[in-house]
Amino acid sequence: MQLADIVTERIQRVTQAPKVALHEPRLDGNELAYVRDCVESGWVSSVGSYVDRFERELAAFVGAAHAVVVSNGTSGLHLALQLVGVKPGDEVLVPALSFVATANAVSHCGAHPHFVDSTAATLGLCVESLSSYLGDIAELRDGQCFNRNSGRRLAAVVPMHTFGHPVDMPALQELAARWSLPIVEDAAESLGSWIGERHTGNFGHCAMLSFNGNKIVTTGGGGAIVTNDPTLAKRAKHLTTTAKLPHAWAFQHDEVAYNYRMPNLNAALGCAQLERIDGFLEAKRELTQRYLAAFADVPEVELFVERPGTRANYWLQTLILSPQAAAQRDQILAATNGAGQMTRPVWELLTRLPMYRDCASMPTPVAADLAARIVNLPSSPQLVTDLAA
């Protein structure tokens, strides 16, 4: 039997369904009741009790002092970069293996993505290789970090927690402090992921979360900035609401800003979803165990699991093909999708996209290797719930 057929059969063994999406939201809690409340009350736009409630409950869940909800994850990351001082012409260190929004947010600031390699240990930014690289190309001037080759300021570093598996943030904190680099965590995929007792998003100056329709918790579309800095939180709220000064009726604005607000309707969905996040996370951990059992006797593949000292949310189940099986990746994708089991490859390396090919980059051999060998599997939490029922 070909490897593609084996993988297809093992996925079907776990899902026990003829057609399965990669990741679907589960919306059978209080979502309809809360959205109906918004409609009946008339509070459907960007002001309302569910916005305030979602911000409070989200901050409490991740253990951050403040949360500011926004229209989507990209807008949240764009603003988070501005909050830490990224300016046009700067460079921002981002992983080459990431969703395009990570680099796009840098570009929206008028800055330049500067790509770094990943590590197979976390699938995210490699702190060790970045440390060596900065030693070669960076220098400190008056307490700020600069790229000696381009002359541009290195204004921030953006670790992205790939598929909910945390980057080695304590090591990155130490490195960033040494080079005076603000940290902005791209935590779009890591709601419900911890390093020790500390939730992702609490290791930098601020972080971005995403609530797109395929995330652990969804608001349809939406995101949030979380931070423990009250000054950053206040400024985030101001800039996301068009920099409007408080007044009973007058429209006074004190700087160029954005309409990045999350509507009350979306926040209502978020409140209902957050009520059930513990169950979602438990289901995804159980799904991991089922995939581990299903692939235990297939030596050409390995399911990626959390590393010691961390607790991953397992947003997307991740199969790593052996180097010898890498050439069969597209056959596996074709066979599984053809059988109704939706799988996907990881994103195209950002260094290979036409708008970013000329950006600065360290060598990224590990990111390239991972990109050739990753296959994401169906990961909806209801796969477990439905089976248990």
Side-chain angles (χ1 to χ4, degrees), residues 261-342:
R261 300 171 292 185
M262 176 184 284
N264 201 44
L265 278 168
N266 298 78
L269 281 175
C271 289
Q273 288 272 285
L274 204 56
E275 290 174 349
R276 307 184 66 201
I277 188 170
D278 290 340
F280 295 161
L281 294 170
E282 289 175 12
K284 294 177 83 61
R285 296 185 73 79
E286 172 60 25
L287 186 60
T288 302
Q289 294 304 311
R290 298 186 186 195
Y291 275 128
L292 281 169
F295 287 104
D297 64 345
V298 185
E300 299 93 340
V301 303
E302 181 179 0
L303 196 73
F304 191 81
V305 296
E306 63 196 6
R307 61 188 174 87
T310 70
R311 186 174 178 85
N313 66 8
Y314 289 107
W315 170 53
L316 287 185
Q317 304 291 336
T318 303
L319 206 63
I320 311 289
L321 307 183
S322 70
Q324 297 75 20
Q328 301 180 63
R329 187 200 67 173
D330 288 354
Q331 294 175 3
I332 292 169
L333 292 167
T336 50
N337 282 281
Q341 307 292 315
M342 186 176 180

Side-chain angles (χ1 to χ4, degrees), residues 4 17 86 115 117 122 130 154 163 176 328 348 358 374:
V86 174
F115 297 109
D117 203 10
T122 68
L130 177 58
L154 291 166
F163 310 136
Q328 301 180 63
E348 187 74 15
D358 296 330
I374 286 175

